[in-house]
Amino acid sequence: MKSFENIKEPHPPRARVLLWADLKHSDMEEIEKTNSIPEIERILCRALLVSDVPQPKQGVLLELYTNLVLFCREKKFNREQTSVLISIIKNVHLFNTETPLNNTDHCLTYCSELLLCHSVRRPPFSIDLFSSEQMTQILYYFINTYMRHYFLYKYIFTPEVQLDISLSYIGIPEDNTDIEETAKSESTADGEKETERETEMDGEVQQSAALPEMKTTETDSPNQGSSSKSELRSIVQKEVRDEVMRLTDQLQQRLQDSADQLNDTISKLEAKIQIKK
């Protein structure tokens, strides 16, 4: 769990050149010499410091980076392009997992800016490493792999955020001791009033008729106090349940809206990529 004070607002960092930032030239030479998936994972684990990450996060990251290497081989990317692409996805993933809040649009924007930073020759701010066709292929791959599992990455790598509701009411005792003392004082006051009323009544018949009434009142007054407290407690519990249900419905609706928005964004990007092809 994480307090709301420590939750960061999603603000994407400035795009920068990532050539040889994580995978060095020697690492890429080792990767090119092997076709073994465990050996590729070993090299990536050492170079990207994935070994410091606990399970199951380590396995998820290794699968992500290994699939990137296989994708680069399929598209015949060179060493520089493969190293930069892995660094781009790594930086997008780090930005995504900085906050448990939804930052889908920011992740897409940040990935696009990083790709643009490596597709236009404008030193020292950007280099022309990827062509427009390669950028389209990378975006298509990124959307259909990482962004389609966006909420899964968010669930695994971000801390749990739990909302605790605490209610306090003015004039209502907070503990059982205060409730019992209040009920006793109320019953004592009611008993004194009944005793005064009995002494004012004249005649044996009136006294005999008043005695059952007195006993009934004396026995009912504590019950009335406790019943009023239990009734108030039930009302408060009902209001709390209704409010929790309302918040739960709102949260579920927001999650559904976020999922719909993500799917709509992915569909639009896929449509644009198909049109370009």
Side-chain angles (χ1 to χ4, degrees), residues 60-251:
V60 174
L61 288 177
L62 284 177
E63 183 178 358
L64 173 65
Y65 298 143
T66 303
N67 287 330
L68 276 171
V69 172
L70 298 179
F71 167 77
C72 292
R73 286 185 176 181
E74 179 185 350
K75 300 302 179 182
K76 298 184 177 359
F77 287 178
N78 57 33
R79 297 176 180 178
E80 291 81 3
Q81 292 171 333
T82 303
S83 173
V84 166
L85 181 56
I86 291 177
S87 295
I88 288 175
I89 302 301
K90 178 185 177 182
N91 279 265
V92 173
H93 174 74
L94 291 175
F95 168 66
N96 175 31
T97 55
E98 280 183 356
T99 173
L101 302 178
N102 187 353
N103 57 347
T104 311
D105 295 336
H106 292 90
C107 286
L108 288 171
T109 302
Y110 186 42
C111 181
S112 301
E113 290 177 352
L114 285 173
L115 285 174
L116 187 63
C117 187
H118 296 84
S119 302
V120 179
R121 183 174 180 81
R122 195 165 64 93
F125 306 103
S126 61
I127 57 177
D128 56 343
L129 195 60
F130 297 109
S131 64
S132 59
E133 181 181 356
Q134 290 172 334
M135 280 187 62
T136 303
Q137 294 172 347
I138 292 171
L139 279 175
Y140 189 82
Y141 175 83
F142 175 73
I143 292 169
N144 279 278
T145 54
Y146 190 88
M147 294 309 296
R148 282 200 181 276
H149 301 91
Y150 169 83
F151 290 106
L152 180 61
Y153 287 111
K154 185 74 76 174
Y155 175 78
I156 295 175
F157 289 93
T158 57
E160 178 186 2
V161 178
Q162 184 174 345
L163 177 63
D164 293 330
I165 300 177
S166 178
L167 303 176
S168 60
Y169 297 91
I170 299 175
I172 299 178
E174 295 183 358
D175 54 2
N176 296 329
T177 306
D178 294 337
I179 295 175
E180 292 177 358
E181 291 178 355
T182 304
K184 289 180 180 179
S185 62
E186 290 179 355
S187 62
T188 303
D190 292 339
E192 291 177 356
K193 291 180 181 179
E194 294 297 334
T195 305
E196 292 177 359
R197 187 174 62 181
E198 290 173 17
T199 56
E200 294 176 356
M201 293 181 180
D202 298 327
E204 295 180 354
V205 177
Q206 292 180 353
Q207 290 179 356
S208 61
L211 285 174
E213 183 180 355
M214 178 199 62
K215 293 178 180 179
T216 304
T217 308
E218 288 179 349
T219 55
D220 289 345
S221 59
N223 293 332
Q224 289 177 356
S226 60
S227 63
S228 63
K229 296 297 179 181
S230 61
E231 183 179 357
L232 178 60
R233 187 180 296 108
S234 63
I235 292 174
V236 172
Q237 290 176 352
K238 180 179 181 300
E239 291 296 329
V240 172
R241 283 196 301 268
D242 293 342
E243 184 67 18
V244 170
M245 290 296 295
R246 186 181 67 82
L247 292 174
T248 303
D249 294 338
Q250 287 183 355
L251 179 59

